[in-house]
Amino acid sequence: MPASISPASVHPAPMAHTAILPPSVMAVRPQGTVQGPNWTQIPGSASFAVAATDGSLWVLSDQPSGADKYIWHYANNGSWLNISGLASQIAIAPDGTLYAINSGGGAYSYSGGTWTALGGGASAIATALDGSFYVLSNGNAAGSDQAIWHNVNGTWSQVPGAGVSIAGSFDGHSYPASGGTISPGGLYILNARGSIYYENGDGSFAQLPANASALAPTTVGGVYALGYPANAGGNALYYYNLDTPGWSAQTGSGVSISSNGGKLYVVGATGAIYSSPVTSTSDVITEFSVPTSGSGPEGIAAGPDGNLWFTEYIGNRVGKITTGGTITEYVIPTSGASAAGITAGPDGNLWFAERFGGKIGTITPNGAITEYTIPTLSFPEPYFIAAGPDGNLWFTEFDGDNNIGKVTTGGSFTEYAIPTASAGAEGIAAGPDGNLWFTEFNADKIGKVTPTGSITEYAIPTGGAGPASITSGPDGNLWFTEFNGSKIGRISPAGAFAEFVIPTGSPQPMGIVTGPDGNLWFTELGGNKIAKITTGGIITEYPLPVSRVSPSGIAVGADANLWFTELNGDKIGRITP
């Protein structure tokens, strides 16, 4: 390790205070190299870009003259916001905290409109998966290999290695690499010769072949890189696949790159800013056509027989698909039933809700269907259904009588009135606390019902969220989709909320389930994607091969893959995590 002193011992150069610039300053589109068919130009001009986990983008502009530049934030709604300050490099933590260094070596964090000095002598900065951050600092001159310092909760420590550029990894997987392993939450390092190293949390190293001038790690098993040495006119773009090790040339070139998992951002030599979707070659999507045309498959669940079972909302059928892709369909006796939610019951059968049939149906693994009419006097509209901890099946009534209902495996019903009128109860799932949790689409609330029928409601912070599906997460919380709010929400059993913005505009998230990899997987009905979110809030999206198929339900199969329905595509899809 190079001889170096703690950045806390080096006086930080002061952060500049600048007047807030209007968004019109970034209403420019510099001409640049045509990146390729998958690239979209973003208005604005920049010299450095950093993608945030919430899908937004932070950049340093190409103004003013000198090493330190204006700091701009590009939000998901397409608007630019300038903040006071000048920096030579920036980084974003998973919780949204902005970190910056200036040309004088001062390291700062920014939150709530305030800059806080963290240390001096820094030439580069990077954030880590756990919210901590790293800097390159003193000991050697900037531009040569400098010491690496790690700040965890305000405490500085020097870690092995040295470099000229660093980038934190937010990937939650491990991969074999030359001379070692790439484990979650480590740090990529470029040295003065362009060599690429990865430092794990225990101080061990792995190396990637070749040389680079800039890196953009993804969360889907790969790393983007710009060629070496750095060229002011731009460098070619490459991708290294960690799952099947090897480099591949990509369309496009630039002087700065960054990725938030869902998108790759590139700044060209002219300052032009481009974005392109990030996909993983290790996440394979396969689709299987449903025999009945125009069937509208919606709900899906893993059955006790090792198959996936799904409802056909328009086709009035229940379907079964093996993990090999063979589909069998069974006609529902009640015509126009509009079967929606489906779940495995405690009796070894599948149970489903007939939204416009006003019934709860059950189907054996051999395809025998029995229906039970809900005794509500008017029109119940049963929508989603889940197995409860009490051995009963629990279901939501979307409109009509505004109830949460339960049915025994023998067909006996009990219903409980939701306190909020016209709540629009939709998704329902068993929680880790022994209760059932449900979404109120129209009321923007999450509800909790005990096995004895006592209901508690919690208002979602975002108005107009339109909560749809809900599932129990691996972290002991409940996770839900906000169909209208374009977010994934989380609620603790005590009622505390957190929300995470989906990178794609108008995604209309629908189904959600805990995956075999410890992440939450969800469908984007409007975004035409399958996506995953870590329990820390990092989102990765995977576009479907065919446009406008409207993925809806999602479930984990016996083969440890994710299986989903395509409401408008008349297909059942499979994605390998």
Side-chain angles (χ1 to χ4, degrees):
M1 297 193 301
S4 179
I5 61 173
S6 170
S9 303
V10 182
H11 182 71
M15 174 59 70
H17 295 281
T18 57
I20 302 299
L21 301 174
S24 58
V25 172
M26 295 294 274
V28 295
R29 288 181 178 270
Q31 294 297 308
T33 303
V34 177
Q35 298 291 93
N38 293 327
W39 292 92
T40 301
Q41 186 174 4
I42 295 172
S45 184
S47 59
F48 186 84
V50 176
T53 57
D54 65 0
S56 64
L57 177 69
W58 291 82
V59 305
L60 299 178
S61 73
D62 51 10
Q63 299 294 327
S65 59
D68 293 326
K69 307 296 183 183
Y70 295 120
I71 305 168
W72 290 86
H73 184 210
Y74 187 74
N76 289 317
N77 61 7
S79 62
W80 284 103
L81 176 67
N82 175 232
I83 67 172
S84 180
L86 296 174
S88 59
Q89 196 175 123
I90 53 176
I92 308 296
D95 66 357
T97 301
L98 171 68
Y99 291 90
I101 58 173
N102 56 29
S103 59
Y108 290 82
S109 66
Y110 179 85
S111 183
T114 301
W115 288 104
T116 301
L118 305 170
S123 63
I125 193 164
T127 53
L129 181 64
D130 62 1
S132 62
F133 68 94
Y134 295 84
V135 301
L136 299 180
S137 182
N138 65 78
N140 290 321
S144 61
D145 291 325
Q146 286 196 304
I148 305 170
W149 286 82
H150 190 195
N151 187 298
V152 181
N153 297 324
T155 300
W156 288 99
S157 60
Q158 187 176 357
V159 300
V164 297
S165 178
I166 50 178
S169 170
F170 291 177
D171 194 330
H173 297 82
S174 295
Y175 308 93
S178 177
T181 299
I182 292 177
S183 299
L187 183 72
Y188 285 95
I189 304 165
L190 292 178
N191 65 19
R193 297 185 298 277
S195 301
I196 308 168
Y197 292 92
Y198 185 85
E199 183 170 3
N200 294 294
D202 61 2
S204 63
F205 286 87
Q207 185 175 6
L208 301 188
N211 303 80
S213 60
L215 296 176
T218 75
T219 62
V220 293
V223 182
Y224 287 94
L226 294 179
Y228 179 84
N231 185 333
N235 287 78
L237 181 65
Y238 299 90
Y239 180 76
Y240 189 82
N241 189 332
L242 292 167
D243 282 302
T244 56
W247 289 99
S248 59
Q250 305 291 301
T251 60
S253 63
V255 297
S256 175
I257 54 176
S258 183
S259 170
N260 63 7
K263 291 183 180 179
L264 172 69
Y265 294 92
V266 170
V267 175
T270 64
I273 310 167
Y274 298 92
S275 71
S276 178
V278 171
T279 58
S280 169
T281 56
S282 65
D283 290 86
V284 180
I285 294 175
T286 307
E287 297 169 298
F288 305 92
S289 295
V290 176
T292 300
S293 178
S295 62
E298 182 166 339
I300 189 167
D305 56 351
N307 299 312
L308 283 301
W309 290 75
F310 58 94
T311 56
E312 298 181 26
Y313 190 78
I314 301 171
N316 208 56
R317 290 167 166 81
V318 173
K320 174 180 71 176
I321 182 170
T322 69
T323 53
T326 301
I327 295 177
T328 307
E329 296 174 291
Y330 306 93
V331 176
I332 298 172
T334 299
S335 62
S338 296
I342 187 168
T343 190
D347 57 350
N349 298 320
L350 282 298
W351 289 74
F352 56 95
E354 300 180 15
R355 182 176 179 186
F356 295 134
K359 299 176 180 179
I360 299 297
T362 179
I363 182 170
T364 69
N366 293 325
I369 293 177
T370 303
E371 297 172 292
Y372 301 98
T373 301
I374 299 173
T376 305
L377 293 178
S378 56
F379 197 69
E381 279 199 54
Y383 203 175
F384 282 79
I385 188 168
D390 57 352
N392 297 314
L393 286 304
W394 289 74
F395 58 93
T396 56
E397 297 179 13
F398 186 74
D399 282 325
D401 295 291
N402 201 51
N403 295 325
I404 298 297
K406 72 178 178 183
V407 58
T408 69
T409 54
S412 296
F413 287 90
T414 308
E415 294 172 284
Y416 305 98
I418 299 172
T420 299
S422 302
E426 191 162 325
I428 189 166
D433 56 351
N435 299 310
L436 280 300
W437 290 74
F438 59 94
T439 60
E440 298 182 20
F441 187 88
N442 296 334
D444 291 327
K445 295 179 180 180
I446 300 299
K448 176 182 69 176
V449 57
T450 68
T452 57
S454 176
I455 293 177
T456 307
E457 297 171 294
Y458 304 91
I460 298 171
T462 297
S469 296
I470 189 167
T471 192
S472 184
D475 57 350
N477 297 310
L478 285 301
W479 290 75
F480 58 94
T481 54
E482 298 186 16
F483 188 84
N484 293 330
S486 300
K487 298 177 181 178
I488 299 299
R490 183 185 72 203
I491 183 173
S492 72
F497 284 94
E499 296 173 288
F500 306 93
V501 176
I502 298 170
T504 294
S506 301
Q508 294 180 318
M510 187 62 183
I512 188 168
V513 70
T514 294
D517 57 351
N519 298 312
L520 285 301
W521 288 77
F522 60 95
T523 58
E524 296 183 16
L525 192 90
N528 209 61
K529 298 175 180 178
I530 304 300
K532 68 180 178 184
I533 180 171
T534 68
T535 53
I538 300 172
I539 294 175
T540 307
E541 299 171 290
Y542 306 98
L544 294 179
V546 179
S547 62
R548 295 187 292 275
V549 298
S550 302
S552 182
I554 189 166
V556 178
D559 57 353
N561 292 317
L562 282 301
W563 290 76
F564 56 93
T565 56
E566 296 182 8
L567 188 62
N568 291 335
D570 289 332
K571 293 180 180 179
I572 303 300
R574 181 186 68 202
I575 182 169
T576 302

